[in-house]
Amino acid sequence: MSDFCGLLTSQREAVPLKSIEVEVEVRDHVATVVSTLHYENKEDKPIEAVFVFPLPGDAAVCHFSAKIGQTQIVAEVKEKQQACEEYDDALSSGQQAFLLEESEQSPDIFTLSVGSLPPGESASIRLEYVTELAVQADDGLRFCLPAVLNPRYQPQGSDGASVQVTSVPASLVPYSLSFSARVSSPRPVCKIESSCSLDPLQYLNTEQTQATVKLAEGHKFNRDVELLIYYKDAHQPTAVVEAGQASAEPGTLMGDPVVMLSLYPEFPQSVTSSLASCGEFVFLIDRSGSMDCSINNIMHQETRIGSARDTLLLLLKSLPMGCYFNIYSFGSNYEHIFPNSVEYNQKTMAKALKKVEEMDADLGGTEILEPLKHIYSCPIIPNHPRQLFVFTDGEVSNTKEVIDLVKQNSGSHRCFSFGIGEGASSALITGMAKEGGGHAQFITGTDRMQPKVMQSLRYSLQPSVKDISVTWDLPQGVSVTDLSPPITALFHGQRSLIYAQLTGESSEAAEGSVTLKYTLAGHPSQNQLHFSLKPTEDTGLTLHRLGARSLIRSLEINFEGQQNEGVERKVVELSVQSGVSSSLTAFIVVNKDSSEPIKGPLLYIVDNPASCINANCGLFDISDDYSRSSKIGRTVNKKVKSVFSRIGSYLKLSRRASSERKEMSQCSAASIKPEETLKDPLLQLVSLQEAHGCWLLDPMLAAALGKTSKELENRKPSTVNQEVWATILALIWLHGFKMDMKEEWELLALKAVSWLRAQNAPCVAECVEAGNALLGCEVQKDLVGL
């Protein structure tokens, strides 16, 4: 199969898609995103174009409309099979039609079919979705407009076909992007940051609770557009009520008010400094071919697998003595260093590090499901809670199946997930962490993997918020229905948004309240929040749609793979009523004014636009398969195939072989490595630390500190043994030269300090003074922790 760049015509000219406009409205913790896509058919015959594009994994698509000429048509949400049949019927009869549907394998991939666009005709597509903003480790809220859709590896034996895409230079992208965001919150907006160039932040009021920001001129849409939003008093819980839709029936989800509670507990210093010395730590590393890419798709940068190796070194050095651990790696198959998790000591750590040094991106595809099954089949170690750390670039098609497996085992472990590089599936990364009760992090652009991962390790060693309860105090005549699953625990850095429907009216009271209670490290906490039962009208129904999405996702996950007509019917009803997308429904638009029959063959064009800069497009004349009198043929044995299956049948992809070849070759240009690389000085020093926390006084330590063995020996106070002296020198070097990277080495330094205290070594102050003189530092004893 030939590879094409962008969406091309038969004369290799661009392209129905002309431009993309994106407007974002952020209200506190949630965002409404409106994208307008402009198309023009420059062919001399009608076309059908299929665009495959990514959205955030927890997004709720809630509006879809098309404007052809002066005619505006708003889409309806219908059961998927019915929508697909109406789409095919429309094209067969010569009508224009548009179909938007969610992938059956992953909720963060959508396809938009633009059907029967006549020669010379233009069309504008308006797509709107709402999404929660993820909390970052530094309390910022992350909004991401995905710009990259990587190939999704198709596991052996799975149904459907995947669309293969290949990297395209930004200069070849034939469409433009405009992007602006408006932010409002009850609390002041402190700052907004981005990996992309932004125009200066503009405040709209003196309280600084409203602000706008735009992308700077000249932005190339070749990477995700990421905003990090920081509010004052980020940990203050809130309760926000949204009025129901005036035209909807009272008593229904859309007709009643919906309340959103935000719970983001603050962990005091006394808790964050308390680290557990037990646990089973399982690290699952992606070694598929795509891990040979650089993190930010820039040549000569560190590869994803290289960064993962360095991160594993820091992790293994930072684990507490007496815990248990194991390392799994996966590609087309999987490997593990030990048959079962082993106790952490010098011998097991050394064996694991030797294996880590040999790891490369050489295992082919991305079969993450089987190693997860093996991990969950291993017996739990008493008094050592399991903590699973998953590292992947997130390019799999069976996302829902993976998330469902994590959910089934959520009672036995916590899952911390890390999406590496542009295009990592947000549905997979956030879904695993959410269902596994952990924390999700994304490593993109110039981000370093190590500080984010070490932060999550620290979270995993700290106590969690438990005994969470939500108690409503509502006037007589008003009742509450939960739309979100109950919260069992929250960990440092986690926030939970809770949605509930308020039904009924009170003739007297216009206010209700809710009490949030929880326990942290044995200390109870309580917050009472008051809210209006008669909120302001016309708030956009953002909370209603997110509440509906939360309920739909819970139903889909709880009954994944099971035939349950009652649940499926409820999902379809909720989706249709709220106008929110689901795996069982689709948006359909038919322009019934365009009734002239199609003349000649209909060109079938496939693209991954991006929002998708990574594009592999084909132009196919399908006149043999598609004509005025025949449908494309979605129905097989009365079951409708999705657009993905249809695309796959035209491209005739070999699911496994093609995926593996693509993963192994797609990043060859981006992963050029020098023959020899010098180890980072920090990692060189870290690699020499013993499992119990000390360093040995030897030539390798001297070289890492930039000194000779003789210099280290001559400066050693006579009453101190070699290991104590070496360990104090290493701590002084870390504090003196690497304070900007403290998050990466802080845990292993704490372990070293604990070891030193256990030695009851004399003359520590003398050692620190001598160490400062030797290394040219001015580190105080108390700063080291001694």
Side-chain angles (χ1 to χ4, degrees):
M1 185 184 76
S2 299
D3 287 336
F4 299 96
C5 296
L7 180 61
L8 307 177
T9 68
S10 55
Q11 289 79 35
R12 300 231 169 180
E13 298 174 351
V15 56
L17 182 60
K18 301 298 291 181
S19 65
I20 303 175
E21 299 170 8
V22 180
E23 295 179 348
V24 182
E25 178 81 21
V26 176
R27 293 184 179 180
D28 210 15
H29 290 271
V30 300
T32 301
V33 184
V34 179
S35 297
T36 305
L37 296 85
H38 300 280
Y39 300 94
E40 182 180 356
N41 179 16
K42 291 186 175 181
E43 285 287 327
D44 57 1
K45 59 185 72 176
I47 64 167
E48 180 190 14
V50 175
F51 297 88
V52 183
F53 58 95
L55 286 180
D58 57 354
V61 177
C62 54
H63 176 90
F64 175 47
S65 60
K67 185 176 182 181
I68 303 105
Q70 299 302 311
T71 305
Q72 183 81 24
I73 316 165
V74 178
E76 298 178 75
V77 180
K78 295 186 178 182
E79 189 274 328
K80 184 175 282 189
Q81 179 172 343
Q82 179 185 353
C84 292
E85 289 176 350
E86 288 186 15
Y87 177 80
D88 288 336
D89 287 341
L91 295 196
S92 295
S93 59
Q95 295 173 327
Q96 294 165 329
F98 302 83
L99 181 73
L100 179 72
E101 56 183 319
E102 177 185 310
S103 163
E104 293 176 357
Q105 287 78 35
S106 181
D108 66 340
I109 302 178
F110 281 75
T111 57
L112 170 60
S113 300
V114 181
S116 189
L117 195 61
E121 185 73 89
S122 297
S124 294
I125 305 299
R126 188 176 186 272
L127 176 70
E128 180 178 336
Y129 65 87
V130 291
T131 185
E132 298 176 357
L133 301 184
V135 178
Q136 299 302 284
D138 59 357
D139 297 337
L141 296 180
R142 179 181 185 262
F143 168 79
C144 180
L145 180 69
V148 177
L149 176 59
N150 289 329
R152 298 299 168 88
Y153 178 78
Q154 199 78 26
Q156 285 181 298
S158 58
D159 295 329
S162 62
V163 178
Q164 298 301 304
V165 294
T166 187
S167 183
V168 178
S171 60
L172 297 181
V173 178
Y175 45 84
S176 61
L177 166 74
S178 64
F179 176 91
S180 62
R182 178 188 175 104
V183 180
S184 60
S185 172
R187 298 155 294 168
V189 181
C190 297
K191 60 180 178 178
I192 298 178
E193 297 177 345
S194 177
S195 56
C196 307
S197 298
L198 300 175
D199 288 342
L201 182 67
Q202 301 289 324
Y203 287 107
L204 302 180
N205 58 7
T206 55
E207 296 83 7
Q208 297 189 346
T209 59
Q210 298 181 19
T212 60
V213 69
K214 294 181 179 180
L215 278 180
E217 287 283 336
H219 172 74
K220 297 290 186 182
F221 202 20
N222 58 352
R223 62 188 187 278
D224 295 348
V225 176
E226 182 182 70
L227 296 183
L228 297 175
I229 303 165
Y230 297 86
Y231 297 130
K232 187 178 180 181
D233 301 324
H235 292 278
Q236 186 67 34
T238 59
V240 181
V241 183
E242 183 178 74
Q245 193 172 23
S247 59
E249 191 74 24
T252 64
L253 173 58
M254 300 306 290
D256 287 340
V258 165
V259 59
M260 179 184 75
L261 308 179
S262 168
L263 180 59
Y264 183 34
E266 185 170 13
F267 282 55
Q269 173 67 27
S270 59
V271 174
T272 58
S273 60
S274 172
L275 301 178
S277 58
C278 61
E280 179 195 8
F281 299 88
V282 181
F283 306 109
L284 180 59
I285 311 298
D286 189 342
R287 287 174 57 190
S288 61
S290 56
M291 287 290 287
D292 204 35
C293 295
S294 62
I295 289 178
N296 56 7
N297 294 330
I298 297 176
M299 291 177 65
H300 307 300
Q301 296 295 309
E302 184 178 26
T303 62
R304 300 172 187 178
I305 191 65
S307 184
R309 283 194 299 264
D310 293 344
T311 302
L312 281 173
L313 169 64
L314 287 168
L315 284 168
L316 288 173
K317 294 293 184 176
S318 301
L319 292 178
M321 288 293 288
C323 73
Y324 286 75
F325 80 103
N326 203 353
I327 300 175
Y328 287 73
S329 56
F330 67 95
S332 298
N333 47 45
Y334 68 91
E335 301 175 357
H336 43 71
I337 294 180
F338 307 102
N340 289 291
S341 293
V342 296
E343 186 174 352
Y344 175 78
N345 54 42
Q346 181 62 30
K347 182 179 178 180
T348 56
M349 183 194 75
K351 180 177 179 180
L353 284 173
K354 186 175 181 181
K355 293 288 186 181
V356 167
E357 289 176 0
E358 299 168 357
M359 285 185 177
D360 211 341
D362 55 3
L363 292 186
T366 316
E367 301 271 3
I368 191 173
L369 197 62
E370 292 307 313
L372 280 174
K373 288 179 179 178
H374 187 274
I375 291 168
Y376 294 141
S377 71
C378 295
I380 296 295
I381 301 170
N383 302 317
H384 288 275
R386 179 173 289 167
Q387 315 274 4
L388 174 63
F389 288 69
V390 180
F391 303 83
T392 179
D393 49 20
E395 300 169 6
V396 298
S397 66
N398 58 340
T399 298
K400 290 183 179 178
E401 194 175 359
V402 173
I403 293 173
D404 185 43
L405 181 63
V406 174
K407 180 179 176 63
Q408 291 171 16
N409 293 274
S410 59
S412 64
H413 81 302
R414 273 191 287 174
C415 181
F416 295 85
S417 54
F418 304 90
I420 307 171
E422 304 287 354
S425 168
S426 63
L428 179 69
I429 304 305
T430 59
M432 291 182 72
K434 184 175 182 179
E435 297 303 334
H439 195 258
Q441 301 252 37
F442 290 87
I443 298 100
T444 59
T446 59
D447 291 347
R448 281 174 54 82
M449 186 187 303
Q450 290 81 7
K452 293 192 174 186
V453 175
M454 297 309 296
Q455 204 161 40
S456 290
L457 177 63
R458 187 173 190 120
Y459 290 168
S460 73
L461 292 166
Q462 294 171 355
S464 63
V465 170
K466 299 179 180 178
D467 305 322
I468 303 169
S469 67
V470 179
T471 306
W472 301 89
D473 184 10
L474 302 171
Q476 188 174 2
V478 180
S479 61
V480 63
T481 302
D482 293 328
L483 303 174
S484 303
I487 315 168
T488 56
L490 283 176
F491 302 94
H492 191 182
Q494 278 189 298
R495 176 219 57 200
S496 183
L497 297 180
I498 305 165
Y499 303 94
Q501 175 183 346
L502 302 174
T503 302
E505 291 187 7
S506 172
S507 56
E508 301 176 359
E511 188 179 81
S513 68
V514 60
T515 302
L516 300 172
K517 295 182 181 179
Y518 58 84
T519 302
L520 176 56
H523 299 287
S525 182
Q526 177 175 315
N527 292 280
Q528 187 177 41
L529 308 173
H530 296 269
F531 52 85
S532 172
L533 293 175
K534 298 180 179 178
T536 307
E537 302 289 337
D538 191 26
T539 53
L541 298 174
T542 302
L543 303 189
H544 283 73
R545 286 161 174 160
L546 286 171
R549 182 64 160 175
S550 175
L551 188 53
I552 288 170
R553 278 283 178 255
S554 295
L555 291 168
E556 288 176 332
I557 290 175
N558 285 332
F559 292 91
E560 186 74 36
Q562 302 179 32
Q563 293 296 324
N564 190 312
E565 292 185 5
V567 172
E568 292 182 359
R569 186 164 54 249
K570 186 169 183 179
V571 168
V572 172
E573 288 175 356
L574 270 171
S575 179
V576 172
Q577 179 195 147
S578 62
V580 167
S581 59
S582 77
S583 60
L584 301 177
T585 54
F587 285 85
I588 176 70
V589 172
V590 176
N591 181 12
K592 296 182 179 178
D593 293 336
S594 60
S595 55
E596 290 187 13
I598 299 172
K599 297 180 180 178
L602 179 65
L603 289 181
Y604 187 71
I605 300 177
V606 180
D607 189 23
N608 160 29
S611 316
C612 314
I613 194 64
N614 282 359
N616 176 27
C617 317
L619 176 64
F620 306 96
D621 185 334
I622 59 172
S623 54
D624 291 340
D625 305 281
Y626 191 98
S627 65
R628 289 190 299 266
S629 59
S630 66
K631 300 177 185 179
I632 289 178
R634 292 175 181 266
T635 306
V636 177
N637 295 328
K638 297 186 178 180
K639 183 175 180 181
V640 175
K641 296 279 189 181
S642 72
V643 166
F644 286 99
S645 299
R646 199 172 86 206
I647 293 173
S649 67
Y650 282 114
L651 298 183
K652 294 181 171 63
L653 294 174
S654 169
R655 296 173 186 164
R656 179 176 176 80
S658 179
S659 294
E660 292 189 9
R661 285 197 305 271
K662 186 64 69 175
E663 285 204 286
M664 293 298 291
S665 64
Q666 72 176 129
C667 299
S668 57
S671 59
I672 298 174
K673 306 173 194 172
E675 291 182 8
E676 211 174 304
T677 58
L678 295 175
K679 180 173 278 191
D680 178 89
L682 171 62
L683 296 177
Q684 188 177 355
L685 180 71
V686 167
S687 68
L688 301 175
Q689 188 185 30
E690 300 285 288
H692 49 260
C694 76
W695 275 264
L696 304 180
L697 194 66
D698 59 23
M700 289 187 292
L701 176 65
L705 298 176
K707 301 294 178 182
T708 65
S709 295
K710 188 174 182 179
E711 287 176 308
L712 266 59
E713 288 283 358
N714 290 342
R715 292 280 188 155
K716 182 180 80 68
S718 59
T719 57
V720 176
N721 70 42
Q722 291 187 343
E723 290 183 356
V724 170
W725 171 237
T727 303
I728 289 175
L729 286 176
L731 289 172
I732 290 173
W733 188 89
L734 290 172
H735 284 83
F737 297 105
K738 293 296 178 180
M739 281 300 291
D740 59 328
M741 303 171 77
K742 186 178 180 180
E743 283 183 321
E744 301 182 31
W745 54 259
E746 186 174 22
L747 287 178
L748 62 90
L750 287 173
K751 187 162 64 168
V753 170
S754 296
W755 179 85
L756 282 170
R757 287 175 178 163
Q759 308 309 305
N760 292 317
C763 306
V764 169
E766 183 184 352
C767 286
V768 172
E769 184 179 350
N772 278 323
L774 174 63
L775 299 177
C777 300
E778 297 181 357
V779 177
Q780 301 299 312
K781 186 177 74 169
D782 58 337
L783 290 178
V784 178
L786 300 175

